Amino acid sequence: MKNLFETLKDLENEIIPLNEFEIISLENAKNRILAKDLYAQKNLPSFDNAALDGYAFNYADLKEPLLIKGIIFAGDNKTYEIGKNECYKIMTGAKMPKNADTILMLEDECLENGKLIIKKIPKQYNARRLKGEELKQDELLLKKGTRLNSKHIALLASQGIYKIEVVRKIRVGIFSSGNELKEPWQNCDEENIYNANALALMSMLDSCEISYLGIIKDDFDTIKNALLGTNFDLLITSGGASVGEADFLEKAFDELGFQAIFKGVKARPARPSKLYKKDKHLALVLPGNPMAAYLSCFIFGKKIIRLLSNSLNNPLKMSAKMGIDLKIKKGRNNFILGNLENEFFIPFNNNQFGSGMILPLVKSEFLLISNEDIESYKKGDQIWLLKL
């Protein structure tokens, strides 16, 4: 059994990117993965223009009264020109007149006898936006593998790029295993527990095409039939991962020709997690306890989906300092939940929790994963956190 970081590294060698693409429009582009590099179609801005309302003039005429030749509005495509000691009143986004290199903001205007007198001197080139100063035509816009967000969509729209090629959505099937489970919409007595895992995992992986397969009972034939005929890129089950209760699942995977990529990991509380592979199909077995299932999926499930999508986006890491002295068990990776207070990380409840709990997840924004050779942290130690 390997530690967490070794196991994650192995996944990079075992999982082949999907390489199946589709064309979509920008309305549907959020959280999709670009299938190829995109380049600027035009200069941004596409012409020299005014960054604010004011007067466009030549800086060489700074100390002279300036004749105001007229007003240039945004959207006016005519070409204007100033001569010696001349200027134009200009609106934000309007095309700069020839020979003008600076804009005096409207609030600083001083008019005498119908001419502009510059009393509050701006810097030369003030408020002039140059053609192509932000982006030049054919410049790399976004890299293949970028997960698109709202800001990316604004950039693409500014270039008139409306149809884009993206990786098709990863098809994920999710089911829970356990005779004791009831769905949140069912009646649940004292002898049963609600299925807290499935909906949480579906929400976590909402960028995928998700199918919920329900609760599968702890029975070999039932489990094997559930695995048969599934055409998912990734099948995720929670429960049936621990020693003793894993017999059904492991036997079913063996009979169906799945090969284990890993069986367990030296990490708390992700230790029972397993990953199987058959052809292009992957099956991730998560622990049944809610916290263990959630954190294991956060680490393994999201990593697998990034690899299948060939995504460049990695989890958000940030540097911080440990806020307390903390002893942990050596020889495994420990998952430590907590929050930041200023720049200091404060573990939730001094890292005392059970893998079946949910409140520590709700009340924690960050996750620290220790190296297996660490047995204690001192207050002030530099650490790296993952944003949950």
Side-chain angles (χ1 to χ4, degrees):
M1 188 183 296
K2 296 182 179 180
N3 69 36
L4 177 73
F5 301 116
E6 292 169 334
T7 304
L8 290 173
K9 190 66 179 175
D10 286 345
L11 295 187
E12 296 175 8
N13 299 321
E14 291 282 352
I15 297 176
I16 300 170
L18 194 62
N19 289 327
E20 294 180 25
F21 313 118
E22 60 181 338
I23 304 293
I24 63 167
S25 58
L26 288 189
E27 291 95 337
N28 303 309
K30 189 176 181 182
N31 289 327
R32 301 303 298 271
I33 307 297
L34 275 183
K36 62 181 181 181
D37 294 341
L38 293 180
Y39 295 86
Q41 303 296 297
K42 59 185 293 188
N43 293 304
L44 191 64
S46 55
F47 52 85
D48 292 3
N49 68 86
L52 46 77
D53 296 344
Y55 292 88
F57 69 99
N58 190 305
Y59 203 76
D61 299 332
L62 183 67
K63 296 182 180 179
E64 303 295 332
L66 303 178
L67 175 67
I68 303 168
K69 295 187 70 177
I71 302 177
I72 308 175
F73 292 97
D76 187 340
N77 294 323
K78 295 178 183 177
T79 298
Y80 295 91
E81 184 175 351
I82 61 171
K84 182 71 174 172
N85 299 333
E86 293 180 338
C87 69
Y88 270 99
K89 192 172 186 178
I90 194 167
M91 300 295 105
T92 303
K95 193 174 180 180
M96 288 285 287
K98 286 185 177 180
N99 301 325
D101 63 4
T102 304
I103 294 177
L104 176 75
M105 62 190 301
L106 198 61
E107 292 85 344
D108 295 332
E109 72 176 2
C110 178
L111 303 179
E112 294 181 6
N113 299 320
K115 292 187 176 182
L116 178 69
I117 307 297
I118 300 176
K119 292 187 175 181
K120 187 172 182 179
I121 299 174
K123 292 181 180 179
Q124 189 173 14
Y125 312 119
N126 179 61
R128 181 183 69 165
R129 292 191 290 221
L130 292 173
K131 176 181 178 178
E133 72 175 16
E134 185 176 357
L135 275 172
K136 291 182 171 55
Q137 188 174 357
D138 299 325
E139 186 177 339
L140 180 64
L141 201 62
L142 293 173
K143 284 186 175 182
K144 170 184 176 180
T146 299
R147 181 180 293 278
L148 297 171
N149 58 33
S150 302
K151 293 172 283 187
H152 297 134
I153 291 169
L155 181 62
L156 295 176
S158 77
Q159 290 290 302
I161 299 174
Y162 180 64
K163 296 285 187 178
I164 54 173
E165 190 172 10
V166 296
V167 178
R168 76 152 169 82
K169 286 191 174 185
I170 306 302
R171 299 186 188 113
V172 177
I174 293 177
F175 71 85
S176 298
S177 174
N179 294 333
E180 75 284 7
L181 294 179
K182 295 288 185 181
E183 298 289 17
W185 54 87
Q186 297 176 322
N187 291 324
C188 183
D189 59 27
E190 296 299 320
E191 304 300 318
N192 298 106
I193 60 174
Y194 282 120
N195 178 12
N197 293 343
L199 295 177
L201 302 183
M202 291 169 68
S203 176
M204 184 191 301
L205 306 177
D206 62 356
S207 63
C208 301
E209 185 179 300
I210 303 283
S211 296
Y212 179 47
L213 308 178
I215 296 171
I216 308 298
K217 298 301 181 182
D218 290 329
D219 172 79
F220 174 72
D221 290 330
T222 304
I223 290 173
K224 185 177 177 181
N225 290 333
L227 299 176
L228 273 172
T230 55
N231 192 32
F232 301 108
D233 304 303
L234 175 63
L235 185 67
I236 299 177
T237 174
S238 63
S242 300
V243 176
E245 56 183 272
D247 295 343
F248 293 144
L249 268 176
E250 190 164 330
K251 185 179 178 184
F253 281 125
D254 287 343
E255 287 200 8
L256 293 172
F258 280 80
Q259 302 295 317
I261 294 177
F262 68 86
K263 289 184 180 181
V265 58
K266 289 193 291 184
R268 174 187 182 260
R271 183 182 179 89
S273 303
K274 300 174 177 66
L275 182 65
Y276 293 87
K277 180 180 180 182
K278 181 182 180 183
D279 302 322
K280 293 183 179 180
H281 304 293
L282 296 162
L284 177 63
V285 181
L286 302 173
N289 282 321
M291 181 185 294
Y294 188 92
L295 292 176
S296 298
C297 190
F298 178 76
I299 297 298
F300 292 115
K302 292 175 79 72
K303 173 77 171 183
I304 291 165
I305 288 164
R306 287 194 299 272
L307 291 171
L308 288 172
S309 303
N310 207 16
S311 171
L312 298 175
N313 297 64
N314 289 312
L316 178 62
K317 280 186 177 182
M318 61 182 301
S319 176
K321 293 179 181 178
M322 178 58 80
I324 62 172
D325 293 341
L326 182 69
K327 289 186 177 181
I328 54 176
K329 188 172 180 179
K330 189 177 179 181
R332 68 184 185 192
N333 305 109
N334 292 277
F335 289 11
I336 304 167
L337 294 165
N339 293 295
L340 280 177
E341 295 182 9
N342 297 319
E343 60 186 42
F344 290 95
F345 175 68
I346 308 298
F348 178 84
N349 196 32
N350 288 315
N351 200 38
Q352 300 299 311
F353 63 83
S355 61
M357 294 180 174
I358 298 176
L359 278 179
L361 283 173
V362 174
K363 295 184 176 181
S364 300
E365 292 188 9
F366 295 93
L367 173 66
L368 167 62
I369 303 177
S370 70
N371 290 323
E372 62 177 327
D373 58 348
I374 292 178
E375 57 186 354
S376 66
Y377 288 100
K378 297 293 184 184
K379 183 177 180 179
D381 283 352
Q382 199 73 28
I383 54 174
W384 286 94
L385 301 175
L386 291 175
K387 184 83 164 66
L388 285 171

